[in-house]
């Protein structure tokens, strides 16, 4: 029995080439851009002001994000920047972007300690996840970072004033305050790192973006029971289109069948067989306290 849930080319939501670093349109008001190993998402109709940016890539991605945004929306800045979570590959260009755009940054309250310089994430577990870790680890500092001047709470009713069609959903596990974004109208899910559509631990897969339904990145996920629960709740939404933090956007029945398999067999497919956090989920609300306890 295989631990891999591979997806065919037919499940891709865009048909561009594997090494195309452009912005991929996947709905009239939805596009994503692959920056190095991580995706950012543009929510909004081109050439209109009510748009939001989801995540900001690794450090150094700022100019590419601004350029793509200007091509898509002209000189309108985003109404806000949404963070699925505060890992460095998702907030790495936030400082640079805030120098161009003086806009609010939204993240779940449980992520705020890591985004205001108060706490660092639990350390990555180098014993799980395979060969990709050694290459990626320099990119994935656990912080802390301080964006307190722009950080705001997510809207309490779930919907964003500028894009009320999208709601946030708390999907902890990969981090304590991880959120995903959901649009009921066309069953669109922006999953962040709750689950992935490539194997982020395989160098081969990262560079080729081999389509695969995959759990959250193993070395950086401290609470596996919560991660399993989050994937099972997202699967219950029956998404038609999925953009995750890593890998290509995927859509359709094959994608959904793969997500069902991941959810049904999460402990077998996604959870490492050994590792630091397996029997002792990190107190992810306070990574520093966890480290001091060790
Ligand atoms: Zn992450």
């Amino acid at each position: 029995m295989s631990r891999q849930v591979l997806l065919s080319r037919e499940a891709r939501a865009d048909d561009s080439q594997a090494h195309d670093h452009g912005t991929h349109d996947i709905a009239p008001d939805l596009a994503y851009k692959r920056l190095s190993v991580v995706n950012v998402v543009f929510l909004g109709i081109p050439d209109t002001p009510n748009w939001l940016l989801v995540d900001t890539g690794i450090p150094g991605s700022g100019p590419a994000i601004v350029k793509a945004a200007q091509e898509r929306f002209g000189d309108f800045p985003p109404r806000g920047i949404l963070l699925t979570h505060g890992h460095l590959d998702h907030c790495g260009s936030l400082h640079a972007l805030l120098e161009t755009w003086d806009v609010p940054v939204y993240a779940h309250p449980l992520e705020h300690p890591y985004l205001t310089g108060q706490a660092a994430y639990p350390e990555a577990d180098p014993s799980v996840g395979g060969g990709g870790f050694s290459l990626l680890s320099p990119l994935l500092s656990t912080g802390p970072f301080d964006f307190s001047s722009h950080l705001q709470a997510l809207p309490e009713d779930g919907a964003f004033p500028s894009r009320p069609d999208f709601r946030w959903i708390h999907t902890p596990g990969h981090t304590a305050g991880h959120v995903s974004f959901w649009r009921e109208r066309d069953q669109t899910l922006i999953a962040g790192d709750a689950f992935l559509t490539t194997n982020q631990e395989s160098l081969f897969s990262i560079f080729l973006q081999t389509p695969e339904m995959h759990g959250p990145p193993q070395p950086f996920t401290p609470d596996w029971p919560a991660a399993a629960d989050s994937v099972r709740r997202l699967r219950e939404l029956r998404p038609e289109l999925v953009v995750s933090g890593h890998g290509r956007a995927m859509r359709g029945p094959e994608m959904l069948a793969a997500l069902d398999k991941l959810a049904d067999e999460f402990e077998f497919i996604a959870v490492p067989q050994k590792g630091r956090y397996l029997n002792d989920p990190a107190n992810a609300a306070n990574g520093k306290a966890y480290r001091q306890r060790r």
Side-chain angles (χ1 to χ4, degrees):
M1 201 170 165
S2 170
R3 287 186 192 285
Q4 279 187 308
V5 187
L6 295 174
L7 289 157
S8 75
R9 295 174 69 91
E10 278 66 54
R12 284 186 187 172
D14 62 87
D15 56 6
S16 39
Q17 297 301 306
H19 295 285
D20 178 8
H21 283 230
T23 304
H24 307 293
D25 285 293
I26 46 176
D29 63 348
L30 195 64
Y32 74 103
K33 183 172 180 60
R34 185 184 159 211
L35 290 155
S36 180
V37 297
V38 64
N39 297 325
V40 300
V41 186
F42 299 102
L43 301 184
I45 298 167
D47 300 315
T48 65
N50 281 342
W51 70 278
L52 297 168
L53 176 70
V54 180
D55 289 340
T56 71
I58 63 170
S61 307
I65 294 172
V66 170
K67 183 165 179 283
Q70 283 173 341
E71 285 169 3
R72 193 167 182 80
F73 301 105
D75 288 330
F76 295 118
R79 298 289 190 185
I81 298 173
L82 319 183
L83 296 178
T84 57
H85 61 302
H87 280 160
L88 186 61
D89 53 336
H90 296 255
C91 73
S93 292
L94 194 47
H95 273 307
L97 291 178
L98 291 175
E99 284 173 10
T100 304
W101 299 321
D102 185 15
V103 299
V105 175
Y106 297 95
H108 190 279
L110 289 173
E111 262 347 68
H112 284 208
Y114 310 109
L115 296 164
T116 54
Q118 293 168 5
Y121 285 105
E123 286 167 12
D125 181 352
S127 71
V128 299
F133 178 77
S134 55
L135 183 91
L136 287 174
S137 54
L139 297 178
L140 298 175
S141 159
T142 53
F145 319 110
D146 187 0
F147 305 107
S148 45
S149 57
H150 290 80
L151 194 61
Q152 295 193 11
L154 290 161
E156 268 182 34
D157 65 355
F160 294 89
S162 52
R163 300 280 338 159
D165 46 341
F166 274 93
R167 310 180 69 80
W168 63 271
I169 304 169
H170 188 202
T171 46
H174 180 56
T175 66
H178 188 284
V179 293
S180 304
F181 302 100
W182 171 248
R183 178 159 68 184
E184 183 72 26
R185 186 180 80 214
D186 56 358
Q187 310 284 105
T188 293
L189 175 64
I190 298 165
D193 286 0
F195 65 87
L196 308 180
T197 48
T198 195
N199 178 358
Q200 186 66 1
E201 290 112 33
S202 155
L203 292 185
F204 183 78
S205 294
I206 288 171
F207 289 114
L208 292 183
Q209 297 279 283
T210 309
E212 177 181 337
M213 192 60 76
H214 196 274
Q218 288 188 350
F220 306 100
T221 300
D223 187 342
W224 287 102
D229 179 64
S230 291
V231 166
R232 288 174 178 137
R233 283 186 294 113
L234 291 176
R235 163 275 280 279
E236 292 302 323
L237 297 171
R238 315 311 288 161
E240 155 63 25
L241 172 63
V242 164
V243 193
S244 75
H246 307 272
R248 291 177 165 279
M250 294 283 156
R251 68 163 19 122
E254 184 190 340
M255 176 278 294
L256 190 53
L259 181 57
D260 275 336
K261 185 173 172 64
L262 179 69
D264 288 338
E265 302 172 36
F266 190 85
E267 284 72 15
F268 182 72
I269 295 168
V271 180
Q273 300 306 298
K274 58 180 176 58
R276 179 185 295 175
Y277 298 125
L278 204 55
N279 300 313
D280 179 21
N283 176 5
N286 192 336
K288 272 186 180 155
Y290 173 76
R291 280 191 220 173
Q292 282 158 5
R293 226 170 51 228
R294 276 168 54 210

